[in-house]
């Protein structure tokens, strides 16, 4: 089932009718018979008198319009078809695709193109999507994908890649109830999410229990990207190498809320249990901006919670309302309080 919000206006010349402003009409617009409202448009009024010589400004109703009616989608083929047909939305007002309880994928699904902005949500409860050997979704070429009450579960199956790839100005939004979990990228980076020249907005939900067994970034591997953590949590992810939670390569993390907690690097010769910052030169820096939220991990086997790899990585320490805690830190001092002072919200998604 696909739903779409229409917010744009069209001007439509109506002659030989008498209507009052605000009544409902059904007019054949480009997408078919859609309910619209009519009101007098006086900006280009011609003559005086009745509406016979005036334009009507027709506005499509804000109630979601069902473009395709079907049962909630519960198959890979159905989801591929729905995404292919779901064009015309915007980042702010995406096309809604309603899902059933569970979908098992064999192949990854591409979400591509500046006219493709999609919101996946269940009819009720939470939809679980599992993958085969590929990424669940590849979001690229100016497209956007929003997940709401949807779980992407890699089932800890080793795959040469992340659960979600976001590339080429793509945008991924994780909203409340969403979960990216148990992705295992093997020797590749980003067990949960790999972002390259992209934007990831974490507005809720959880990125948890993902692994990178042979490279960087257990939860997220970010390259030339922006990661906005506004709510939700990144927790209990692991990597064999740098960045148990997030590996930041010439990228920006804006920590505005939420939690990055209890992630770990499993090889003590590497660093950054929660976050590893790596810049390449003055114009390609890795930056962590902290204004709110919680970043926490006890020091494990000499591995720092947050690690700046070079002089091209920036973090000026916790700012007002930002709680960054690490015990027994031996390098730069970022400690605030102790674990007893910290309240970590449990994962309830």
């Amino acid at each position: 089932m696909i739903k779409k919000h229409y917010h744009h206006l069209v001007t439509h010349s109506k002659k030989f009718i008498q209507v009052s402003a605000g009544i409902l009409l059904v007019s054949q617009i480009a997408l078919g018979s859609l309910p619209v409202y009519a009101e007098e448009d006086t900006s280009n009024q011609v003559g005086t008198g009745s509406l016979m010589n005036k334009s009507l400004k027709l506005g499509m109703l804000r109630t979601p319009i069902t473009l395709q009616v079907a049962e909630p989608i519960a198959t890979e083929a159905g989801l591929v078809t729905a995404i292919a047909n779901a064009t015309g939305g915007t980042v702010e007002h995406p096309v809604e695709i309603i899902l059933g309880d569970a979908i098992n994928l064999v192949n990854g699904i591409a979400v591509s193109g500046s006219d493709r902005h999609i919101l996946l949500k269940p009819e009720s409860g939470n939809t679980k999507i599992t993958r085969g050997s590929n990424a669940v979704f590849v979001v690229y070429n100016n497209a956007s994908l929003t997940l709401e009450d949807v779980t992407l579960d890699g089932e800890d199956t080793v795959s040469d890649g992340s659960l979600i790839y976001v590339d080429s100005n793509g945008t991924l939004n994780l909203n409340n109830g969403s979960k990216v979990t148990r992705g295992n990228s093997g020797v590749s980076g980003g067990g949960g999410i790999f972002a390259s020249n992209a934007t990831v907005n974490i507005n809720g939900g959880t990125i948890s229990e993902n692994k990178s067994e042979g490279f960087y970034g257990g939860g997220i591997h970010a390259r030339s990207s922006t990661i906005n953590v506004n709510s939700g949590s990144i927790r209990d992810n692991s990597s064999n190498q740098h960045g148990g939670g997030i590996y930041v390569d010439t990228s920006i993390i804006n920590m505005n809320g939420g939690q990055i907690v209890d992630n770990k690097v499993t090889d003590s010769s590497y660093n950054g249990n929660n976050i590893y910052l790596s810049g390449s030169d003055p114009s390609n820096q890795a930056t962590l901006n902290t204004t709110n939220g919680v970043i926490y991990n006890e020091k494990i086997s000499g591995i720092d919670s947050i690690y700046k790899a070079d002089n091209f990585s920036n973090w000026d320490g916790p700012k007002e309302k930002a709680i960054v805690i690490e015990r027994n830190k031996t390098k730069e001092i970022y400690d605030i309080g102790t674990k007893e002072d910290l309240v970590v919200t449990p994962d309830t998604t």
Side-chain angles (χ1 to χ4, degrees):
M1 181 185 296
I2 302 179
K3 294 182 179 180
K4 189 170 183 179
H5 297 269
Y6 291 96
H7 295 263
H8 51 280
L9 295 174
V10 294
T11 299
H12 183 56
S13 179
K14 298 290 289 185
K15 293 185 178 181
F16 309 113
I17 60 172
Q18 293 284 345
V19 298
S20 297
I23 71 168
L24 286 178
L25 302 175
V26 175
S27 181
Q28 194 75 17
I29 312 293
L31 290 169
S33 295
L34 300 175
V36 298
Y37 67 84
E39 64 183 14
E40 182 180 347
D41 183 1
T42 59
S43 60
N44 294 296
Q45 183 172 325
V46 179
T48 59
S50 73
L51 289 176
M52 292 175 64
N53 296 314
K54 299 178 183 179
S55 292
L56 294 180
K57 183 165 62 178
L58 305 182
M60 298 181 184
L61 294 182
R62 293 178 181 271
T63 303
I65 306 300
T66 302
L67 298 183
Q68 175 180 328
V69 179
E71 295 298 319
I73 293 169
T75 66
E76 177 177 336
L79 185 54
V80 170
T81 299
I83 288 176
N85 291 335
T87 58
T90 65
V91 174
E92 295 79 12
H93 305 294
V95 178
E96 293 182 5
I97 299 179
I98 308 301
L99 307 177
D101 293 337
I103 301 175
N104 298 314
L105 301 183
V106 175
N107 300 301
I109 297 177
V111 181
S112 173
S114 58
D115 62 344
R116 192 162 277 106
H117 303 282
I118 293 168
L119 166 62
L120 297 183
K121 59 188 297 186
E123 184 178 39
S124 62
N126 190 288
T127 297
K128 179 179 179 180
I129 301 178
T130 57
R131 72 169 176 183
S133 59
N134 300 303
V136 176
F137 296 110
V138 181
V139 185
Y140 65 106
N141 193 18
N142 300 294
S144 70
L145 174 66
T146 301
L147 301 179
E148 186 172 303
D149 292 317
V150 173
T151 294
L152 304 186
D153 191 345
E155 300 183 321
D156 203 28
T157 301
V158 178
S159 173
D160 187 18
S162 309
L163 279 174
I164 307 178
Y165 278 93
V166 195
D167 196 2
S168 302
N169 296 312
T171 299
L172 173 66
N173 301 308
L174 299 182
N175 289 351
N176 288 338
S178 58
K179 193 168 186 177
V180 178
T181 187
R182 298 200 295 170
N184 190 330
S185 59
V187 298
S188 298
I193 298 169
F194 190 101
S196 178
N197 295 292
T199 300
V200 177
N201 298 310
I202 303 168
N203 305 315
T206 305
I207 300 169
S208 65
E209 300 180 69
N210 300 286
K211 299 177 183 177
S212 176
E213 294 185 339
F215 204 55
Y216 307 149
I220 300 174
H221 185 122
R223 181 181 298 165
S224 302
S225 295
T226 299
I227 310 297
N228 297 309
V229 184
N230 303 313
S231 185
S233 64
I234 301 169
R235 64 170 73 231
D236 300 316
N237 302 285
S238 64
S239 63
N240 180 257
Q241 299 183 23
H242 298 310
I246 309 176
Y247 179 81
V248 185
D249 178 4
T250 60
S251 296
I252 298 172
I253 299 179
N254 294 312
M255 185 76 180
N256 305 312
Q259 302 170 358
I260 304 175
V261 296
D262 292 331
N263 302 286
K264 65 180 180 180
V265 171
T266 58
D267 186 334
S268 60
S269 62
Y270 294 93
N271 222 317
N273 278 316
N274 282 315
I275 299 172
Y276 186 97
L277 300 169
S278 177
S280 60
D281 58 61
S283 62
N284 293 284
Q285 301 185 359
T287 300
L288 169 62
N289 299 314
T290 54
T291 57
N292 207 340
V294 173
I295 303 173
Y296 171 76
N297 203 326
E298 291 192 39
K299 197 175 185 72
I300 301 174
S301 302
I303 301 172
D304 299 329
S305 175
I306 300 171
Y307 185 79
K308 298 197 299 182
D310 45 57
N311 293 329
F312 308 121
S313 299
N314 297 301
W315 181 44
D316 57 5
K319 298 180 181 179
E320 184 181 1
K321 295 184 179 180
I323 303 173
V324 182
I325 301 175
E326 185 174 349
R327 288 182 173 178
N328 305 318
K329 190 161 182 65
T330 58
K331 297 183 180 180
E332 298 175 62
I333 304 301
Y334 301 149
D335 299 1
I336 298 180
T338 66
K339 185 174 182 179
E340 285 68 32
D341 301 323
L342 175 66
V343 177
V344 177
T345 304
D347 177 8
T348 57
T349 60

